[in-house]
Amino acid sequence: MTSVPDLAEPVAAWRVWNLVETPDGPLLVSPVRPVFWPPRRSMTATCHRGCAPPPSLRCRCGLYAMDELPRLYRESAGAGRVVGCTALWGRVVEHAHGVRAQFAYPLLLFLLPETRSGSRTLGSGGARRLKQHYRVPVVVAPGSSADGYFPDDRLAGAVAEEAVRGLAGRRAGDHTAHARFADAVEDLVGRSW
Ligand SMILES: [Zn+2]
């Protein structure tokens, strides 16, 4: 039987969250199950069928992410949602359009315009509070799929690649690594949505 790879180095892929305001701050919540991703701590997969640890090859458990941002954007980027690039590590299994993993933490979040104006889920200053709560860059996307905006796949791929490639450097305060990531994000947001 094929074993599930346990990756020492994270991979990066794209996913979507709902955003829920709480007295402690904004929380990223899975759109599939009412489970929130904890700020400043790894998200850990659980399995109601008892896979220990998840994900397993014969199950559908794990933390899901997709390889292609445009596909994700087209299929699930609706009002009140946050799209982002997340690091995934531990046990990692491929699925049809990406991976499912044991552990994850967001590396970059995009607030969609509907989210920005949707005071019901995110009030003024929401981007700043989300950034402070999760300690990740939060960027307001220039448009939503409803506006006819779609991210460029190649530039999104470059962002995901740099998100993990420069992760250690950014954590260590390396300005070059921060600048490379910022440039990749600017290319994506500025020219291709
Ligand atoms: Zn399972």
Side-chain angles (χ1 to χ4, degrees):
M1 179 180 164
T2 312
S3 63
V4 175
D6 191 332
L7 301 180
E9 293 293 321
V11 296
W14 302 93
R15 58 166 289 134
V16 64
W17 295 267
N18 290 330
L19 196 61
V20 175
E21 281 285 11
T22 75
D24 296 329
L27 287 179
L28 298 171
V29 178
S30 165
V32 179
R33 291 193 297 155
V35 176
F36 74 88
W37 285 42
R40 302 184 293 280
R41 279 196 292 125
S42 308
M43 179 63 176
T44 303
T46 58
C47 176
H48 69 278
R49 293 175 62 187
C51 297
S56 71
L57 291 170
R58 296 183 182 182
C59 195
R60 298 173 69 184
C61 54
L63 305 166
Y64 278 70
M66 293 175 76
D67 290 333
E68 295 176 22
L69 178 58
R71 175 189 287 273
L72 176 76
Y73 206 69
R74 196 162 46 242
E75 292 180 357
S76 52
R81 287 188 162 172
V82 176
V83 172
C85 180
T86 186
L88 305 123
W89 69 97
R91 291 161 67 86
V92 175
V93 176
E94 290 189 8
H95 62 74
H97 301 296
V99 294
R100 49 193 175 96
Q102 183 180 7
F103 302 112
Y105 196 82
L107 298 169
L108 171 71
L109 299 172
F110 289 109
L111 283 180
L112 301 183
E114 295 95 333
T115 315
R116 186 176 44 164
S117 61
S119 57
R120 192 172 61 83
T121 52
L122 191 71
S124 62
R128 180 179 46 77
R129 285 184 295 112
L130 187 61
K131 178 180 179 178
Q132 287 173 346
H133 208 197
Y134 282 88
R135 305 260 169 87
V136 295
V138 177
V139 178
V140 177
S144 72
S145 52
D147 304 320
Y149 283 101
F150 289 98
D152 179 274
D153 188 39
R154 187 181 63 80
L155 294 176
V159 168
E161 188 180 321
E162 185 57 41
V164 287
R165 184 166 76 105
L167 181 58
R170 295 196 305 278
R171 281 184 177 159
D174 178 351
H175 293 296
T176 308
H178 277 290
R180 278 203 317 263
F181 192 37
D183 285 349
V185 173
E186 192 176 325
D187 283 348
L188 173 62
V189 174
R191 294 205 239 114
S192 304
W193 291 64

